[in-house]
Amino acid sequence: MLGYAEEELIHLGVGDIHPKEALGHVQAEFEALVRGEKKSTEVPCLRKDGTVFDVSIGVSGITIDGRECLLGFFTDITERKQAEEALHNSESRWKFALEGAGDGLWDWNIPGNTVFFTRQWKAMLGYEEHEIGSSLDEWSKRIHPDDIAAAMADVQRHFRGETNFYQNEHRVLCKDGTYKWIMDRGKIIERSPDGKPLRMIGTHVDITDRKQAEEKINNAMKQAEAANMAKSEFLSNMSHEIRTP
């Protein structure tokens, strides 16, 4: 693992197989292992060729010829560390993209009925981060009474597998007492072996401007339709009067 032959390795000390800048940390970790304060730790190691990689060190006590000793197990965790870093970078980019676009993000632990709401989710409704907890009713109790039934019905349809994703438009109460129209989208990303939903993530998008624009268009169309009906009725009456002697 370190690139040394056995006859080379047995003459090396701790300072030879760990980066110099990490020796203080490594020494503290080894002392904690010896005192029994830890059963394992992760530290950087130094190969013979000068490259650095991460290892997990686990220890257990054994007796050899009447002496109490520690048996250590070194495991190369380079691939795991790389996977963790890639996942962290991916999640960071995803969160940045969502919040940069002004969207809120939520992550629902369904069995525990707890939800992680991002800062942007809370800010969209006018709240500071500490003013919103992590229970599901932080969302459900703010939905307009006329919209809650349809929203929950769409959630249940997705739970039953009737839809590929959850989507619903509803009004949500803001801190200042006004309502905003929200487009809520989500998808179950984890189920139990028997198919029960375990985790669902989604986005929370403010569509108030769009809904207000739609309402104006609908009102204009209704007015135009009413005007056309009045015009048709007027022309019909005029035609009748003209034909009547």
Side-chain angles (χ1 to χ4, degrees), residues 1-15:
M1 189 184 297
L2 294 171
Y4 291 99
E6 183 179 351
E7 56 271 18
E8 294 178 296
L9 190 61
I10 59 175
H11 298 293
L12 300 180
V14 172

Side-chain angles (χ1 to χ4, degrees), residues 99 102-106 115-127 132-133 136 138-140 142 172 182 184 202-205:
E99 296 204 349
D103 297 349
L105 172 68
W106 48 268
V115 187
F116 168 74
F117 300 105
T118 61
R119 177 191 57 79
Q120 183 62 27
W121 191 99
K122 301 171 185 178
M124 193 179 298
L125 302 179
Y127 290 94
I132 296 282
L136 180 64
E138 294 285 10
W139 167 72
S140 59
R142 291 182 170 87
V172 179
I182 298 296
D184 217 12
T203 58
H204 185 90
V205 183

Side-chain angles (χ1 to χ4, degrees), residues 106-118:
W106 48 268
D107 188 335
W108 182 10
N109 177 335
I110 298 169
N113 216 28
T114 58
V115 187
F116 168 74
F117 300 105
T118 61

Side-chain angles (χ1 to χ4, degrees), residues 3-84:
Y4 291 99
E6 183 179 351
E7 56 271 18
E8 294 178 296
L9 190 61
I10 59 175
H11 298 293
L12 300 180
V14 172
D16 298 310
I17 61 170
H18 298 282
K20 288 184 172 54
E21 62 273 15
L23 283 179
H25 169 68
V26 171
Q27 187 65 36
E29 291 298 289
F30 269 109
E31 290 175 0
L33 290 172
V34 170
R35 291 193 298 267
E37 297 171 1
K38 289 186 173 184
K39 290 296 184 183
S40 65
T41 189
E42 295 179 4
V43 296
C45 265
L46 183 66
R47 295 189 181 94
K48 183 179 180 179
D49 64 8
T51 57
V52 177
F53 66 108
D54 290 307
V55 296
S56 172
I57 304 174
V59 297
S60 61
I62 62 171
T63 302
I64 302 177
D65 296 332
R67 294 181 301 155
E68 294 297 323
C69 301
L70 282 178
L71 180 64
F73 303 88
F74 281 61
T75 305
D76 185 345
I77 57 172
T78 302
E79 290 187 3
R80 196 199 81 195
K81 285 288 189 178
Q82 291 173 342
E84 288 176 353

Side-chain angles (χ1 to χ4, degrees), residues 142-188:
R142 291 182 170 87
I143 299 181
H144 194 285
D146 293 343
D147 300 339
I148 183 67
M152 298 309 297
D154 283 340
V155 170
Q156 292 301 320
R157 274 193 285 273
H158 185 53
F159 277 9
R160 295 192 296 268
E162 297 173 10
T163 57
N164 292 327
F165 57 91
Y166 154 73
Q167 179 171 307
N168 184 268
E169 296 180 5
H170 51 259
R171 289 160 288 181
V172 179
L173 184 64
C174 299
K175 185 178 179 180
D176 64 6
T178 62
Y179 278 93
K180 281 187 176 180
W181 275 99
I182 298 296
M183 166 69 80
D184 217 12
R185 294 188 181 97
K187 187 173 180 64
I188 293 171

